[in-house]
Amino acid sequence: MQMERKKIFDRLRRIEGQVRGLQRLVENEAECVEILVQLAAVTAAMKRTGTAIISIYMEKCLTDASKNPDKGLEELKGALKQFIDAS
């Protein structure tokens, strides 16, 4: 689990750098196409990271949900719905 967490943190740091790059593009009034390409890259990176997090933490989420099935499973389903709808 520790190695997977490191990979997630590494991905998030890269995304953070991409977002800073996007901010610079906007600040410097870069071409629209250049901004949109960078925005698409950030969005795709976030989706891939979200999918990796779900994969890594699914077992833990299901275990936690089984401790309080009425509440836990509904919370998990709600969180997954939010993730899917945001994609």
Side-chain angles (χ1 to χ4, degrees):
M1 178 72 107
Q2 188 64 23
M3 186 58 133
E4 289 88 357
R5 283 185 53 177
K6 182 184 178 335
K7 288 179 184 178
I8 295 296
F9 281 117
D10 290 345
R11 285 177 181 234
L12 291 172
R13 280 191 209 71
R14 278 193 301 276
I15 292 168
E16 183 180 22
Q18 287 177 304
V19 170
R20 281 194 303 272
L22 184 58
Q23 289 170 330
R24 282 190 298 277
L25 289 174
V26 171
E27 184 179 313
N28 296 329
E29 298 180 5
E31 295 291 322
C32 179
V33 172
E34 192 177 356
I35 293 171
L36 290 175
V37 167
Q38 184 64 22
L39 184 59
V42 170
T43 301
M46 287 297 294
K47 288 179 185 179
R48 285 190 306 272
T49 302
T51 301
I53 289 171
I54 289 169
S55 176
I56 291 167
Y57 287 98
M58 183 58 72
E59 185 176 329
K60 182 183 181 334
C61 289
L62 290 174
T63 301
D64 291 349
S66 70
K67 292 177 184 172
N68 186 350
D70 295 335
K71 182 180 177 193
L73 191 54
E74 286 306 310
E75 286 178 347
L76 178 58
K77 287 178 5 184
L80 284 171
K81 182 179 181 336
Q82 282 183 307
F83 175 74
I84 292 167
D85 289 348
S87 296

